[in-house]
Amino acid sequence: MKKQYMLVILLVTGMITARAQSSYTTIQFKDNMKSALALELPYTTDEVEGTILEKLKQSGFKPDTRGSFFWKRNKTDGFYVFNEVMLPSAGTQKLDLYFKVVQKNNEEKNNSILYLMASNGNENFLSPDGDTILWNSTMAFLNSFKDKTTAFSLEQSIINQESGIKDSQEKLASLQKEGKDLDEKLRKNQDEQKNRQLELDNQIKMLENLKLKRKT
């Protein structure tokens, strides 16, 4: 029984590790099938796309981010393209990186597949049968997205939570101010009621006195 339990743990661990690793695939690009790497991530496409910029900045590359979605318009046949990127383990070699992010399927909206093709220029894409060092560097770079996406998703959750707290604080402050205004209006209303009541009582007394002066 203990051996079976340990076997289950090893299998589950292996499955988790496998999901965190990229795998070789081919993907269509300009009507041709090209070598690429694919990495499944348990995050939305927005979170994965946000991680792309963070990873590039971490590697020293400065993507052009003029405007909130400028970089997303820099597409070639559905791929986000970043030119002349130096990967951490590829030395001074610069590569053109082609990213594509898709939702895994219609049911799994929180799972995405990140595709990466790397070119050493002029859309001359790397393959596992070519430059092994550059291919392995590209694979290592893509594999590092797992932890980076986790960190990016956490930071986004923190930002969203902080934003939610700020909104709640502002709404509470507005309600408190409105409550104070209402309290002030209520106090003034009560004071006005007292004054009006005194005035009414005086007018009634005056009326009674006037009536007493009538000649019988």
Side-chain angles (χ1 to χ4, degrees), residues 16-93:
I16 293 173
T17 303
R19 288 189 65 183
Q21 299 298 313
S22 58
S23 59
Y24 171 77
T25 187
T26 57
I27 192 169
Q28 185 170 320
F29 180 78
K30 293 184 177 180
D31 299 325
N32 292 307
M33 300 305 294
K34 301 293 184 181
S35 294
L37 289 165
L39 177 66
E40 182 179 338
L41 295 166
Y43 300 99
T44 64
T45 55
D46 286 341
E47 289 172 318
V48 176
E49 287 174 348
T51 305
I52 291 174
L53 289 187
E54 293 301 313
K55 281 297 297 180
L56 291 173
K57 291 175 183 177
Q58 188 181 55
S59 68
F61 182 78
K62 295 181 180 179
D64 194 340
T65 55
R66 289 173 294 170
S68 57
F69 294 102
F70 177 83
W71 71 278
K72 289 191 174 185
R73 293 198 295 270
N74 189 24
K75 271 190 172 183
T76 300
D77 199 26
F79 287 80
Y80 300 121
V81 182
F82 300 92
N83 296 312
E84 299 186 337
V85 180
M86 284 195 299
L87 300 184
S89 58
T92 58
Q93 174 71 50

Side-chain angles (χ1 to χ4, degrees), residues 188-201:
K188 289 181 178 181
N189 181 276
Q190 290 173 339
D191 290 343
E192 186 67 19
Q193 286 185 51
K194 290 178 181 178
N195 293 333
R196 293 292 180 183
Q197 187 65 54
L198 288 173
E199 183 179 346
L200 177 60
D201 291 343

Side-chain angles (χ1 to χ4, degrees), residues 173-188:
S174 177
L175 288 171
Q176 289 173 335
K177 183 179 182 302
E178 184 179 336
K180 288 181 180 179
D181 292 341
L182 289 173
D183 288 341
E184 181 65 18
K185 287 181 180 179
L186 178 60
R187 186 187 63 77
K188 289 181 178 181

Side-chain angles (χ1 to χ4, degrees), residues 25 27 37-38 79 98-102 113-117:
T25 187
I27 192 169
L37 289 165
F79 287 80
Y98 293 67
F99 294 94
K100 188 171 188 177
V101 185
V102 298
I113 299 177
L114 173 60
Y115 294 97
L116 172 60
M117 298 190 303

Side-chain angles (χ1 to χ4, degrees), residues 138-150:
T138 305
M139 180 179 288
F141 177 70
L142 186 60
N143 289 340
S144 66
F145 271 72
K146 181 65 170 65
D147 291 337
K148 191 63 180 180
T149 308
T150 301

Side-chain angles (χ1 to χ4, degrees), residues 122-153:
N122 300 317
E123 297 181 0
N124 181 29
F125 294 105
L126 304 180
S127 70
D129 298 327
D131 191 320
T132 305
I133 294 177
L134 287 181
W135 178 263
N136 290 339
S137 295
T138 305
M139 180 179 288
F141 177 70
L142 186 60
N143 289 340
S144 66
F145 271 72
K146 181 65 170 65
D147 291 337
K148 191 63 180 180
T149 308
T150 301
F152 179 82
S153 177

